[in-house]
């Protein structure tokens, strides 16, 4: 468990103690007929809501995965479905393509993804932009990864690197 999740659980614990104290204070306020007793009911209920929020954050917080050799990338298309596209700089090293695809596959995984065609795989494509002539931009897809939409540790993850695209990238960098 990462430190942020641990922190949220600790905060939820402290809020639990605060809720217990506020509950005792609220009961005391009703017994003694204090004028602000209904405000205490609201404050106590709100601390219960805060506990639920902290627990939700702790359970849902996901630390990004960092894989050695992966290049930095930006997500350029991701509608929360079964397809996504990430972009890298045209200066990416050929040996960084596969680790970058693997890192994108882990970081874009979410159990909340949907598939309109009933497909059970997340398909992520890695691309860069080449500029063969001034004023002309051309996308170049370097590879793709297909992984399960349901399992975080997907043993059957398929990483495909396009050797022709890698060669074209190298030629564009040298020429």
């Amino acid at each position: 468990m990462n430190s942020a999740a641990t922190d949220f659980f600790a905060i939820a614990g402290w809020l639990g103690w605060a809720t217990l104290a506020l509950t005792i204070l609220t009961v005391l306020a009703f017994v003694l007929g204090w004028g602000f007793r209904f405000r205490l009911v609201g404050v106590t209920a709100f601390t219960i809501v805060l506990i639920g929020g902290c627990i939700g954050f702790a359970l849902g917080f996901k630390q990004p995965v960092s894989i050695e050799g992966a290049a930095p990338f930006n997500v350029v298309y991701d509608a929360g479905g079964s397809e996504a596209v990430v972009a890298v700089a045209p200066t990416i090293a050929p040996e960084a393509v596969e680790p970058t695809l693997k890192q994108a596959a882990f970081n874009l995984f979410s159990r909340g993804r949907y598939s309109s065609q009933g497909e059970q795989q997340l398909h992520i494509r890695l691309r860069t932009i080449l500029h063969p002539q001034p004023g002309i931009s051309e996308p170049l897809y370097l590879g793709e990864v297909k992984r399960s939409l349901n399992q975080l540790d997907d043993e059957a993850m398929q990483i495909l690197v396009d050797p022709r695209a890698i060669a074209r990238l190298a030629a564009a960098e040298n020429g």
Side-chain angles (χ1 to χ4, degrees), residues 3-90:
S3 66
T6 305
D7 291 345
F8 278 119
F9 278 126
I11 292 168
W14 283 105
L15 284 170
W17 286 110
T19 302
L20 181 64
L22 284 169
T23 302
I24 293 169
L25 189 63
T26 302
V27 169
L28 184 64
F30 271 94
V31 169
L32 298 176
W34 293 345
F36 57 91
R37 63 186 175 261
F38 294 107
R39 291 181 190 155
L40 284 173
V41 171
V43 171
T44 305
F46 185 66
T47 56
I48 293 170
V49 170
L50 289 176
I51 291 170
C54 284
I55 291 172
F57 276 134
L59 294 175
F61 191 79
K62 188 175 94 170
Q63 194 79 14
V65 173
S66 180
I67 295 180
E68 189 170 335
F73 63 87
N74 293 316
V75 179
V76 293
Y77 173 77
D78 186 4
S82 60
E83 294 183 357
V85 178
V86 296
V88 293

Side-chain angles (χ1 to χ4, degrees), residues 27-163:
V27 169
L28 184 64
F30 271 94
V31 169
L32 298 176
W34 293 345
F36 57 91
R37 63 186 175 261
F38 294 107
R39 291 181 190 155
L40 284 173
V41 171
V43 171
T44 305
F46 185 66
T47 56
I48 293 170
V49 170
L50 289 176
I51 291 170
C54 284
I55 291 172
F57 276 134
L59 294 175
F61 191 79
K62 188 175 94 170
Q63 194 79 14
V65 173
S66 180
I67 295 180
E68 189 170 335
F73 63 87
N74 293 316
V75 179
V76 293
Y77 173 77
D78 186 4
S82 60
E83 294 183 357
V85 178
V86 296
V88 293
T91 57
I92 186 171
E95 58 274 1
V97 171
E98 187 172 336
T100 304
L101 282 165
K102 190 179 285 189
Q103 181 171 318
F106 280 110
N107 288 339
L108 295 180
F109 174 80
S110 171
R111 296 192 192 280
R113 289 189 174 273
Y114 66 92
S115 175
S116 58
Q117 285 88 24
E119 192 175 317
Q120 293 301 310
Q121 282 194 319
L122 173 60
H123 183 205
I124 303 169
R125 297 176 75 189
L126 178 74
R127 74 147 169 88
T128 190
I129 301 288
L130 295 181
H131 302 284
Q133 297 174 7
I136 296 177
S137 298
E138 180 183 343
L140 179 64
Y141 289 92
L142 303 172
E144 60 186 40
V145 59
K146 293 181 180 180
R147 60 151 307 134
S148 170
L149 276 174
N150 304 320
Q151 297 175 343
L152 176 61
D153 296 324
D154 184 8
E155 299 293 329
M157 187 183 328
Q158 301 170 337
I159 298 176
L160 305 168
V161 177
D162 186 352

